[in-house]
Amino acid sequence: LWYTTLPMGAVVPPTTRWPVRYRLNTTARSRGTHPRAPPFSESCVHSLQRKHAISASLPSRVGKLGSRRCEFAVRILFQPRLDNIRRPAIMTHSAAVSEPDPWLEDLNQCLLKGREAVLSTDPAAASVLVVMGNEACDLDSCVTCIAYSHLLQKERGAGAGVVVPIMNMPREDLTLRPDAQWLLQEVGVDVQALLFADEADPAHLLQKGRLEGLVLTDHNRLARHQEPLLESVVEIIDHHVDEKSYPATANVNIALVGSCCSLVALQFKARGSQHLRSRALKRLLLGGTLLDTANLDKSQGKTTDVDEEAAGLLGLGEDAEDLFAQLQRRRADVGAMCTRDLLRKDYKEWTMGKDDQPYQVGVSSVVMDLHAMAAKDPVMADACLAYQEQRALDLLVIMGSFSDEGGFHRQLVMIPTSKTLKLLPKAVEHMNGPGGVGLELMSMHRLPPGSLAFNQLDIKLSRKKIQPVLVEFFDRLPMNTSLL
């Protein structure tokens, strides 16, 4: 006998194993008994199954009780004896696979144990090896952080210390990354068991003497506010330009490939891991690789032989096109976001220039025509200035990317402060130099004074390729910029 509360549209699954009786009492105005068990959402089934270890078949359809908001108290009586019920197979939200996935089951158990270990207040609690992606925390960072941490944990074995992934963003920001949120839930990752940056800080573990080390995925230089952790970095696996800002003792695997997921997939293969048999693991890594490489489209200048090898290893098949389409559609679904959310959704920040003349540069990547971004926000200029001030930036760069009937396009906007206003012409000249970005000035409204907007002629150059160009420019500046 169990009592639980489920949201509107949720009921107990019909089962072929045991008789089930239902009684649903609404907490809305018209209280009463529902005459029969209504259909319900698969996500509620999975939640109930995992919570109570109930094995039951999924309903053949998903229905709704209506648009009226209410909750139901569900009383469920199962026969035979409950202690004879076995633990069910973890099922994905795509509902195509009913077989158990040992990797996924073990991953979710490790996530729960890791969360408990990190949040423990016991002074004798074990030390923790933290795995962390970059501060943009896009799909590539999320997946590599989770998958690689589990690989390291299984190589250690039981009782040899805890390896924990920490999502490098606040938990609430996961909703700004609908592609990552969807894929994690689709394969069955327990998102509630994950740790986020606002829940667990590696710096706090370091202060308590519990940080065994820090492993970086999808970046090789810590964000400015995380630089005190620099000496704790023990390993890096990344696909960006090597900034060489890590300890000489760190184990470094940096390769300029399309996706960090590709590198992690090959690590599973190189280490002889049997977990590549897992559909959930392969789908996670393949999703990251496909999204980063525009579905392995070499014309966009991102895909390498390594990415193609990894995709083949991960079972690139007929459903890959659908997976990419699903992820692409969700990533581009930003129409309802305000300017501030668009700026912080996919954002990275660097300190550029000489040590005695630093410049703080932030780059926001927006999957949207920047003209459309401006058109929907009358106060976009104020929002950009507020974000720039909040982050204490000397230069805010917004990179737009979108597709229309004319093909794929990139745009770039540079928003300076008084410190960098006079540098913009020289910066543009440098970026348009030999082998440069190819910036074509365009007119754009609702930008702060002094801003410049461009069409980017070389559409192959994403943020990870433009950032080194900006670094080079600021590194070459003379001490006295008034001489420019």
Side-chain angles (χ1 to χ4, degrees), residues 10 104 132 134 155 218 221 249 272 298 303-304 328 354 362 424-425 439-440:
L104 185 60
M132 189 169 65
N134 64 49
E155 287 183 336
D218 201 26
R221 181 173 184 169
T249 55
K298 283 198 168 183
T303 307
T304 67
Q328 182 81 337
K354 300 178 177 65
L424 281 197
L439 298 178
E440 180 182 70

Side-chain angles (χ1 to χ4, degrees), residues 287-327:
T289 293
L290 294 179
L291 196 60
D292 269 0
T293 61
N295 203 20
L296 301 176
D297 183 358
K298 283 198 168 183
S299 69
Q300 294 204 22
K302 295 181 178 181
T303 307
T304 67
D305 292 342
V306 171
D307 300 298
E308 291 181 335
E309 179 186 356
L313 179 67
L314 297 171
L316 183 65
E318 295 179 0
D319 64 341
E321 290 286 343
D322 178 65
L323 176 60
F324 172 72
Q326 292 265 27
L327 292 170

Side-chain angles (χ1 to χ4, degrees), residues 392-407:
L393 298 177
D394 298 307
L395 179 65
L396 172 61
V397 179
I398 307 174
M399 296 185 65
S401 61
F402 65 98
S403 297
D404 59 17
E405 60 276 3

Side-chain angles (χ1 to χ4, degrees), residues 28 34 49 76 81 96 115 121 161 257 266 269 286 298 301 378 387 417 457 460 465:
H34 203 281
Q49 286 177 329
I76 316 161
R81 292 177 57 84
R115 182 181 180 87
T121 57
V257 301
L266 295 183
K269 176 185 177 182
L286 182 61
K298 283 198 168 183
Y387 189 75
T417 61
L457 301 182
K460 294 181 180 180
K465 294 184 179 179

Side-chain angles (χ1 to χ4, degrees), residues 134-381:
N134 64 49
E135 61 181 329
C137 215
D138 57 4
L139 178 64
D140 197 25
S141 276
C142 289
V143 169
T144 54
C145 177
I146 294 169
Y148 197 59
S149 68
H150 188 256
L151 175 62
L152 294 177
Q153 182 69 79
K154 302 318 292 180
E155 287 183 336
R156 288 185 160 205
V162 180
V163 184
V164 180
I166 295 181
M167 304 294 101
N168 201 359
M169 63 177 169
R171 179 178 287 275
E172 67 173 356
D173 283 4
L174 182 60
T175 59
L176 299 178
R177 296 151 179 85
D179 50 345
Q181 185 178 37
W182 173 79
L183 185 59
L184 293 176
Q185 294 175 342
E186 196 267 350
V187 303
V189 174
D190 187 352
V191 176
Q192 294 304 313
L194 286 172
L195 282 168
F196 289 76
D198 57 340
E199 300 169 337
D201 185 358
H204 179 71
L205 294 173
L206 180 63
Q207 293 172 358
K208 297 293 185 180
R210 295 187 55 212
L211 183 62
E212 178 184 336
L214 182 62
V215 177
L216 305 183
T217 70
D218 201 26
H219 66 312
N220 60 79
R221 181 173 184 169
L222 288 165
R224 176 176 50 168
H225 67 282
Q226 294 170 335
E227 287 178 352
L229 296 168
L230 180 62
E231 294 304 316
S232 299
V233 175
V234 295
E235 186 175 356
I236 293 172
I237 181 165
D238 182 35
H239 68 130
H240 296 89
V241 172
D242 188 351
E243 298 191 54
K244 302 189 184 302
S245 295
Y246 45 79
T249 55
N251 179 20
V252 177
N253 177 6
I254 298 177
L256 296 180
V257 301
S259 175
C260 193
C261 281
S262 301
L263 297 178
V264 171
L266 295 183
Q267 282 296 306
F268 273 86
K269 176 185 177 182
R271 300 185 187 193
S273 173
Q274 300 300 310
H275 292 303
L276 278 177
R277 298 174 181 173
S278 163
R279 177 185 181 275
L281 173 61
K282 290 192 291 185
R283 194 163 174 83
L284 285 170
L285 293 172
L286 182 61
T289 293
L290 294 179
L291 196 60
D292 269 0
T293 61
N295 203 20
L296 301 176
D297 183 358
K298 283 198 168 183
S299 69
Q300 294 204 22
K302 295 181 178 181
T303 307
T304 67
D305 292 342
V306 171
D307 300 298
E308 291 181 335
E309 179 186 356
L313 179 67
L314 297 171
L316 183 65
E318 295 179 0
D319 64 341
E321 290 286 343
D322 178 65
L323 176 60
F324 172 72
Q326 292 265 27
L327 292 170
Q328 182 81 337
R329 178 173 60 83
R330 284 171 169 81
R331 186 175 69 169
D333 186 15
V334 297
M337 292 186 186
C338 65
T339 296
R340 179 177 179 271
D341 284 348
L342 287 171
L343 292 176
R344 67 192 185 94
K345 175 181 183 293
D346 189 357
Y347 172 83
K348 291 184 180 179
E349 186 176 314
W350 296 270
T351 302
M352 301 183 183
K354 300 178 177 65
D355 292 340
D356 52 358
Q357 187 174 287
Y359 293 86
Q360 208 62 32
V361 179
V363 183
S364 294
S365 182
V366 179
V367 188
M368 189 177 196
D369 183 344
L370 298 186
H371 291 292
M373 178 179 172
K376 74 187 191 74
D377 187 358
V379 293
M380 175 178 166

